[in-house]
Amino acid sequence: MAHPTTVLVTGGAGFIGSHTAVELLENGHDVVVVDDFSNSTPAALERVQKLTGRRVTLVEGDVRDRALLGEVFAGHRIHQVVHFAAKKAVGESMQIPLEYWDLNVGATVALLQVMRDAGVTDLVFSSSCSIYGDAQRLPLDEDAPAAPTNPYARSKWVCEQVLADACARHPELRVLALRYFNPIGAHPSGLLGEDPLGVPNNVMPYLTQVAVGRLERLPVYGTDYPTPDGSCVRDYVHVVDVADGHRVALGHLADTPGLRVRNLGTGVGTSVLELVNAFEQASGRRVPVAPTDRRSGDVPALVADPSLVAREWGWRTRRDVAAMCADAWRFQQLNPFGHAS
Ligand code: UD1
């Protein structure tokens, strides 16, 4: 096991952040969370503490607040940083693009400046497969060209370029940008899961809210795509695997300085209709669907080539779509109204 460190987790109350906090705490790391609860609740962190029997240090605030961030680095001996805090809804990003640039890029720049001033060199950055955009060839390895199709994806792509520029100027920096495919599922305990505020944008929380009766039917955005059943194909990856990938990535930051970009995916593509089917089997519930027009900004298919991290780190995902559905459903059933239920 890598040497235990104190890790600053920005956005640590969010879906992937909270699961990563659990993974880190269970492996002996200390965790300091900065979160403004703009799309999460403090209840998620209470669940993290309940699950692990360990305390999380919470600093409530915005990562763009350099003074606040400076106090966090001054007050805690932070060794490594995982930066999740960002906005992440594709459709919303087309409605309020400037807010996406301001938060996603602004927070990354502020964090890098404060890390530089504090002499902290180790960063894992939350990037996205959406950078690949409308892929010409599948599966996607890390050398596939970037062709982002919406402001959210472009903001992540620009963040990677900001990281590259910072690494060129500050050769002591060690950065891994992890491009996740589609994280879904929940902690198998049912205590921690995806808990979006308002009507969900993403397919799995929408699906589980239909199954539990909070929403009527799942809109299937497009059934005329050039895919086997006409619905979009994605590489769904269990959030606990994503969290585990972050823990392993932190242990590999010291391998080499500079920026490295790595995929976190399974290599398996699943269509929306196949996902509904898998969910119905896992839950024993029928999920009514409503085929609908395509959602603007969507691309037909995204599937990872996960072989680079397999070769380099000996790491791969371990949980399949059935487990993702079963765990997401358990969380929804136990928490019909989210962590605050
Ligand atoms: C997008 C990003 C991804 C990012 C994620 C974070 C792209 C291409 N992908 O994923 O990088 O990590 O947001 O939130 O920009 N769908 C329905 N009905 C629904 C909701 C979704 O049919 O009610 C379909 C979508 O059309 C899509 C699939 O389900 O084909 C998954 O959608 P979603 O969960 O929103 O994720 P992405 O848009 O793939």
Side-chain angles (χ1 to χ4, degrees), residues 16 88-91 127-131 133-134 149-150 152-153 156 180-184 194 200-207 217-222 225 231-234 236 270-273 275 290 293-295 297-300 302:
I16 307 176
K88 53 133 219 174
V90 171
S127 193
S128 168
C129 70
S130 60
I131 284 177
D134 198 352
T149 59
N150 55 70
Y152 159 70
K156 289 289 178 180
Y180 331 134
F181 281 68
N182 284 60
I184 60 170
E194 191 165 8
N201 292 297
N202 297 114
V203 66
M204 185 52 97
Y206 206 111
L207 229 170
R217 56 190 67 235
L218 176 78
V220 177
Y221 294 135
Y225 281 100
S231 64
C232 289
V233 169
R234 294 289 182 270
Y236 295 99
T270 304
S271 74
V272 176
L273 295 173
L275 185 69
D293 288 347
R294 292 180 177 193
R295 183 172 69 173
D298 270 345
V299 298
L302 286 170

Side-chain angles (χ1 to χ4, degrees), residues 124-139:
V124 174
F125 175 72
S126 170
S127 193
S128 168
C129 70
S130 60
I131 284 177
Y132 298 118
D134 198 352
Q136 301 304 311
R137 219 158 37 88
L138 295 177

